Amino acid sequence: MLNLERLRTLDALARHGSVSGAAEGLHVTTSAVSQQMAKLEREVGQPLLSKNGRGVRLTDAGRLLADHAARIISQVELAQADVEAQRGCAVGELRIGAFPTAMRGLLPAALTALRAGHPELRARVREMEPAESMAAVVRGDLDLALAIDWHNKRMPVPAELVRAHLLDDAADVAVPAGHPMAGRTEVSLADFAEEDWVSWNEGQFCHEWLVFTLRGTGVEPRIAHIAEEHHTQLAFVEAGLGVCVTPRLGRGPVPPGVRLLPVCDTVRRHVYVVWRADADRRPSIRAAVDALRTVAAEVEGRS
């Protein structure tokens, strides 16, 4: 009889490609992963892993069993979703990944409402970039992911996922208080062709969007500084070191030496939540999505 948890370990190894990656995805130690694989090899009576330099790789038998494990785990998740739906209660654990401004601007209120309405449901949250969190939902490491794309640059959503729109989040340009355009009631991104920009980390979707959008207005952006957090970007702006785009969701207090200027062509992000299609019937998923939609409507109404 094959043990389901050991099959989950094998599946994680196949998806992550390493013992350390599997351990991180399963929230266990690398020793626990190695022990589970040793027991699984004894169960099947042949090696499933072989050494590959400092790491490991799946043997032919390991790859064969990993393919079966992925299908078995998917069927188990469907069964769990059906049982939970039959019971009609949002219970158990719900694993959520969210980008930073959603962590601040949406999740605290949504999780408070979720806990009040469904006290047997335990939510666990991780701050992650959208592409990373969506991939984790596809793998089964997360149940829900909050993600974004921009009005002029969409992020592809894997076919295995269901997507629900939450809100449109407008963004402004932040400039130093003494900037020549600080008194304007409206600006265009093209107005800042000669400015230094403070941007997100290279490789992040928002950084790619900024470069793509500025080039679309005929501006070759001068990215002078890179900062992951919005409040750090605003500190650089206040110091006169550049300008930045700052979304309104989860923005928090703005430094006194910064002025926020609305953009005439309405720069905005689309905020949405995704989950696996085979988990669509789970009451915990539906309860969380409903809570997020309620909070998002309130946030959008205030902006």
Side-chain angles (χ1 to χ4, degrees):
M1 180 69 70
L2 295 173
N3 179 280
L4 180 60
E5 289 309 309
R6 290 166 201 152
L7 290 178
R8 288 189 187 276
T9 302
L10 176 63
D11 177 66
L13 267 169
R15 289 186 284 104
H16 293 281
S18 69
V19 172
S20 59
E24 182 178 354
L26 294 168
H27 307 289
V28 299
T29 64
T30 54
S31 176
V33 170
S34 298
Q35 290 173 18
Q36 289 284 62
M37 288 305 302
K39 291 176 181 177
L40 185 58
E41 287 182 328
R42 287 197 295 271
E43 286 178 352
V44 299
Q46 56 184 310
L48 301 175
L49 298 176
S50 63
K51 289 190 179 298
N52 183 28
R54 294 184 178 180
V56 296
R57 65 175 179 83
L58 295 180
T59 63
D60 290 344
R63 286 193 295 271
L64 177 64
L65 187 56
D67 288 341
H68 284 289
R71 291 192 291 272
I72 291 167
I73 292 166
S74 179
Q75 285 300 119
V76 169
E77 289 174 351
L78 280 170
Q80 290 174 333
D82 284 343
V83 170
E84 191 177 325
Q86 178 70 24
R87 182 178 176 183
C89 297
V91 298
E93 184 178 81
L94 193 68
R95 302 159 299 169
I96 304 172
F99 58 97
T101 50
M103 288 282 285
R104 295 193 298 271
L106 287 177
L107 276 176
L111 293 183
T112 298
L114 198 60
R115 183 170 58 184
H118 306 278
E120 294 185 62
L121 181 62
R122 302 181 307 278
R124 292 175 52 194
V125 180
R126 293 180 61 190
E127 185 173 299
M128 306 170 71
E129 286 300 307
E132 182 187 7
S133 62
M134 282 199 287
V137 175
V138 171
R139 294 194 306 265
D141 297 338
L142 293 176
D143 300 302
L144 287 172
L146 276 75
I148 50 168
D149 55 29
W150 293 81
H151 68 289
N152 60 338
K153 188 174 178 63
R154 308 308 294 267
M155 178 177 285
V157 176
E160 301 96 324
L161 302 184
V162 177
R163 166 178 170 155
H165 176 80
L166 294 176
L167 77 155
D168 286 342
D169 179 32
D172 305 305
V173 175
V175 302
H179 193 279
M181 284 186 273
R184 297 262 297 268
T185 58
E186 195 174 70
V187 294
S188 168
L189 292 182
D191 293 335
F192 301 93
E194 303 303 319
E195 300 282 349
D196 287 340
W197 284 87
V198 185
S199 181
W200 298 268
N201 286 338
E202 294 182 24
Q204 287 189 4
F205 187 72
C206 288
H207 175 86
E208 295 175 355
W209 164 82
L210 180 63
V211 173
F212 169 83
T213 302
L214 290 172
R215 285 176 177 166
T217 66
V219 174
E220 183 58 34
R222 295 187 348 213
I223 307 296
H225 307 288
I226 299 292
E228 185 170 353
E229 294 292 338
H230 289 285
H231 61 266
T232 306
Q233 294 179 1
L234 292 176
F236 272 66
V237 172
E238 185 178 35
L241 299 172
V243 301
C244 73
V245 170
T246 176
R248 296 176 185 175
L249 177 65
R251 179 185 284 162
V254 176
V258 172
R259 299 293 178 268
L260 300 178
L261 309 178
V263 182
C264 58
D265 49 359
T266 314
V267 173
R268 64 189 182 278
R269 306 186 300 177
H270 305 297
V271 181
Y272 52 95
V273 59
V274 299
W275 62 94
R276 285 174 62 104
D278 57 17
D280 197 47
R281 295 186 294 276
R282 288 179 57 190
S284 56
I285 296 286
R286 307 313 310 176
V289 172
D290 288 346
L292 285 165
R293 279 175 163 159
T294 298
V295 172
E298 295 170 356
V299 169
E300 198 165 28
R302 293 194 299 265
S303 63

